[in-house]
Amino acid sequence: MSHIKLFEEWCNKAIEDKDLTAELTSVKGNDEEIYDRFYRTLEFGTAGLRGIIGAGTNRMNIYVVRQATQGLANYVLKKYSKGAVAISHDSRIKADLFMIEAARVLAANGIKVYITSELQPTPVLSYLVRHFKCQAGIMITASHNPAAYNGYKAYGEDGCQMTDVAANAVYNEIQSIDMFDGVKIADFDEAVKNGMIEYVDDSVYTQYLDCVKSRQVSKGICDGADLSVVYTPLNGTGNKLVRRVLADIGVKKVSIVKEQEMPDGNFTTCPYPNPEIKEALQKGLDLCDEEKPDLLLATDPDADRVGIAVKDYDGSYRLLTGNETGAMLTEFILRSRTEEGTLPQNPIIVKTIVTTKLINAICNKYGAQLKDVLTGFKYIGEVILNLEKDAQEDRFVFGFEESYGYLSGSYVRDKDAVVASMLICEMAAYYKKQGKTLAMVMDEMYKEYGFYKNTTLNFGFSGAAGMQKMADIMSSLRENAPKEFASYKVEKIADYLESKEYDLLTGDVTDIDLPKSNVLSYSLEGEHACIIRPSGTEPKIKLYITAVGKDADDAQAITDKLADSAKVYLS
């Protein structure tokens, strides 16, 4: 059906949400605007759905949510014959509405639904799936995207985000469903009354927090440390649970960034509520100038990521990257658990392929096994699942990705900013009792292991033309493989879509034992590297640069040269 025909159908049938009808009226006669809303349907993948809130098949709205949920319901019923699904949401605009609409569809299909009475972090949803022995889960969130976005993350019965196989099966179901006439809808109040929809009891959140606190590395370490923290939930879901767990472990001095304390999907204090960027943390940094804490914690809207800033030598605050925080946590956990005799036999650390190779050196020091997985926390979750099948889940010590996602323990299967916030505070208290700031600790690690600088650059592409441009760039890189970046020769190329690694020095070709993914990795002389991949959730290509220098200035100079060279291929 053409985009104009689709638009006309929506004008006739999409009448339940007044915001959508107003938007459709406002774009009548504007072919460019209509095309952008209807030129494609939001594709359901391992990251679920994500898009701008609004009218159309290329937008997030109640009709897209209903269709996706009907597809999920069909999948669950075909695979399990019956089932249960847990649903929650964050502070995004219309997130609570989308949760209710998804619950109505599931209930109408005879599937039991557990929903939260208020917004909750994404890791809580992962916990609920396994707690209630559900066959699937739904989290309404767009993570750290701008306020205009919302999304729909789907989880499997293991509490991990859906795998490629499951996501493809759901997508195939969705494709066969008429968005308006092919969806079953129950009355929400009636479904609650007859027990098909059930609200999660508050006691379950206490059980989740008990699991979080069971991951303490050194119980009581925060007592007497006089640790001072500034915390911002970035107008998201972390406020209650993060503050509660910090109080429980003995962190008494917690100052909250008031402008970002309460849930607000408009995110008026930062255009991009992402703890990876300084603008999102600016209000917190301003409060640090007043309070002079040991560190700043910032969790993203769905509280699965956390960023930090730490007091530097001159009293200012240094923003740490996800790689730096993850490296310090890895060192702290392995060191402390070795000291306390709680490190399991053959411990396992898991990281993604784009995460710093500094972890390799740390694991070698402590005799831990390192597993590299594809980008996406579900692959870390799969490692835990496989260990659990062999009753070896205790071997999983820590997992993280460079984009500020961390997990310790197997109680959930997604990154968890609540447990990460707890561990970061334990780490800060541990070193504070030794007279060290986290800035000092990071610098000591660079001196011991070498200066690894990891930089992520994003190249944005918008609209239909942008999606095609991204595809063209990746095709061009495969057809005309770069032989060098700046003056550094390419020694190896790993193509994760082909599952092959090509050694350009020896001519050897080896298989990559990981799922296929549209990623190209270039190993350069001097241990430097460039990795290029399209984002799975946003219209952009990501460039990951590794520069190994003699010191910070040397590593930065190498990074700048590699970035300038790579931009030629990504323009």
Side-chain angles (χ1 to χ4, degrees):
M1 191 181 297
S2 72
H3 66 282
I4 295 298
K5 289 291 186 183
L6 280 170
F7 172 72
E8 291 171 352
E9 181 183 40
W10 275 63
C11 288
N12 292 327
K13 293 183 176 181
I15 58 176
E16 294 177 66
D17 187 326
K18 292 182 179 179
D19 291 339
L20 300 185
T21 56
E23 182 180 336
L24 291 168
T25 300
S26 72
V27 300
K28 279 186 177 178
N30 188 330
D31 188 71
E32 183 177 348
E33 289 287 346
I34 293 171
Y35 181 73
D36 190 52
R37 286 163 176 77
F38 292 97
Y39 82 92
R40 67 165 190 156
T41 58
L42 287 181
E43 186 170 340
F44 188 97
T46 56
L49 301 167
R50 193 174 299 186
I52 295 171
I53 302 163
T57 56
N58 188 35
R59 295 288 188 270
M60 282 295 297
N61 51 69
I62 60 172
Y63 304 105
V64 168
V65 167
R66 287 176 181 176
Q67 183 189 39
T69 308
Q70 184 64 58
L72 178 64
N74 292 352
Y75 165 79
V76 168
L77 293 174
K78 285 182 179 179
K79 184 172 182 179
Y80 303 100
S81 75
K82 60 180 181 178
V85 176
I87 316 178
S88 190
H89 67 92
D90 68 3
S91 59
R92 292 274 162 183
I93 295 168
K94 294 185 182 288
D96 53 347
L97 172 63
F98 293 167
M99 178 185 74
I100 288 171
E101 293 301 311
R104 292 176 65 196
V105 173
L106 292 166
N109 282 273
I111 295 173
K112 172 81 175 186
V113 185
Y114 297 94
I115 65 171
T116 59
S117 57
E118 63 179 4
L119 72 175
Q120 294 292 341
T122 286
V124 169
L125 184 277
S126 176
Y127 179 81
L128 295 178
V129 170
R130 299 177 72 239
H131 176 82
F132 289 113
K133 297 180 171 58
C134 295
Q135 283 63 55
I138 300 168
M139 181 69 190
I140 305 298
T141 176
S143 189
H144 55 274
N145 283 75
Y149 284 76
N150 209 330
Y152 179 114
K153 286 184 181 178
Y155 289 74
E157 62 181 333
D158 56 0
C160 290
Q161 284 191 53
M162 280 193 167
T163 62
D164 294 324
V165 173
N168 287 337
V170 173
Y171 180 65
N172 289 335
E173 293 291 343
I174 293 170
Q175 292 293 93
S176 68
I177 296 165
D178 183 278
M179 186 172 287
F180 296 107
D181 301 322
V183 178
K184 297 178 182 178
I185 301 285
D187 179 88
F188 181 80
D189 293 335
E190 183 62 30
V192 172
K193 191 180 299 183
N194 64 30
M196 289 303 297
I197 297 176
E198 180 180 330
Y199 283 100
V200 176
D201 188 81
D202 286 350
S203 63
V204 179
Y205 307 128
T206 299
Q207 293 174 52
Y208 159 79
L209 282 179
D210 287 343
C211 291
V212 170
K213 288 183 286 187
S214 74
R215 302 310 305 171
Q216 291 178 77
V217 175
S218 182
K219 290 185 179 180
I221 192 68
C222 293
D223 295 330
D226 196 35
L227 192 69
S228 176
V229 176
V230 164
Y231 171 58
T232 172
L234 293 179
N235 300 118
T237 61
N239 190 33
K240 286 187 177 182
L241 295 184
V242 171
R243 293 171 71 173
R244 186 170 158 187
V245 77
L246 294 189
D248 287 350
I249 67 168
V251 182
K252 305 303 181 185
K253 295 181 179 179
V254 180
S255 301
I256 308 300
V257 179
K258 292 300 180 183
E259 302 95 325
Q260 298 173 336
E261 179 178 13
M262 302 308 293
D264 181 1
N266 293 298
F267 307 115
T268 55
T269 60
C270 55
Y272 210 87
N274 182 351
E276 299 181 48
I277 61 174
K278 184 177 181 181
E279 290 81 359
L281 275 61
Q282 191 57 56
K283 290 291 183 183
L285 292 169
D286 292 344
L287 186 57
C288 285
D289 289 338
E290 298 176 21
E291 299 290 336
K292 304 298 181 185
D294 295 296
L295 73 152
L296 163 69
L297 287 173
T299 54
D300 73 343
D302 66 324
D304 62 352
R305 303 171 192 257
V306 59
I308 69 172
V310 299
K311 187 180 289 185
D312 218 334
Y313 302 97
D314 61 358
S316 64
Y317 286 84
R318 183 198 301 186
L319 295 174
L320 296 186
T321 67
N323 278 312
E324 289 176 321
T325 302
M328 281 199 297
L329 283 170
T330 303
E331 169 87 12
F332 163 66
I333 292 169
L334 290 174
R335 173 186 291 182
S336 295
R337 293 191 64 177
T338 298
E339 291 172 351
E340 301 200 6
T342 60
L343 195 65
Q345 289 289 318
N346 302 315
I348 291 176
I349 302 292
V350 190
K351 74 173 184 69
T352 60
I353 58 174
V354 298
T355 297
T356 179
K357 292 182 179 179
L358 175 55
I359 303 302
N360 300 55
I362 298 170
C363 287
N364 287 338
K365 177 180 177 180
Y366 292 97
Q369 181 182 349
L370 177 64
K371 286 185 176 288
D372 275 304
V373 297
L374 292 177
T375 305
F377 222 86
K378 59 182 174 289
Y379 297 113
I380 296 176
E382 283 183 348
V383 172
I384 302 172
L385 176 62
N386 290 332
L387 287 169
E388 186 178 60
K389 289 177 180 177
D390 295 330
Q392 296 184 37
E393 63 267 28
D394 288 345
R395 291 180 60 200
F396 172 72
V397 174
F398 187 60
F400 82 102
E401 56 187 4
E402 45 72 44
S403 54
Y404 296 61
Y406 316 96
L407 177 65
S408 175
S410 60
Y411 61 96
V412 298
R413 301 297 160 81
D414 209 342
K415 48 193 175 288
D416 186 352
V418 182
V419 76
S421 296
M422 180 191 76
L423 292 171
I424 288 165
C425 287
E426 276 199 297
M427 176 173 66
Y430 173 85
Y431 288 116
K432 186 173 182 179
K433 287 183 174 180
Q434 299 175 26
K436 298 178 182 179
T437 67
L438 292 182
M440 294 176 187
V441 174
M442 191 68 248
D443 289 345
E444 288 176 357
M445 288 179 63
Y446 280 137
K447 288 178 182 177
E448 178 178 358
Y449 297 113
F451 202 98
Y452 289 75
K453 183 170 181 60
N454 298 90
T455 303
T456 304
L457 300 176
N458 296 300
F459 298 82
F461 303 86
S462 59
M467 298 298 290
Q468 184 59 51
K469 179 67 173 176
M470 289 167 61
D472 291 344
I473 287 172
M474 297 304 292
S475 294
S476 177
L477 286 168
R478 288 187 167 93
E479 292 168 4
N480 303 287
K483 295 181 179 178
E484 65 175 36
F485 286 82
S487 57
Y488 302 100
K489 293 181 180 179
V490 176
E491 295 182 340
K492 291 182 180 179
I493 299 176
D495 188 333
Y496 290 87
L497 195 59
E498 292 186 358
S499 299
K500 299 289 184 183
E501 182 178 72
Y502 303 90
D503 190 321
L504 304 188
L505 300 180
T506 65
D508 292 340
V509 180
T510 56
D511 293 331
I512 297 173
D513 187 22
L514 290 173
K516 292 184 182 296
S517 183
N518 192 12
V519 181
L520 289 167
S521 176
Y522 303 91
S523 298
L524 313 177
E525 59 183 334
E527 294 189 81
H528 315 306
C530 289
I531 299 178
I532 298 171
R533 76 173 184 92
S535 170
T537 57
E538 300 168 272
K540 63 186 180 184
I541 288 179
K542 291 190 171 187
L543 167 66
Y544 302 86
I545 297 173
T546 297
V548 184
K550 293 175 290 187
D551 52 33
D553 290 340
D554 184 38
Q556 185 60 59
I558 295 169
T559 298
D560 291 341
K561 288 194 292 184
L562 291 174
D564 287 342
S565 177
K567 286 176 185 176
V568 174
Y569 300 108
L570 301 177
S571 61

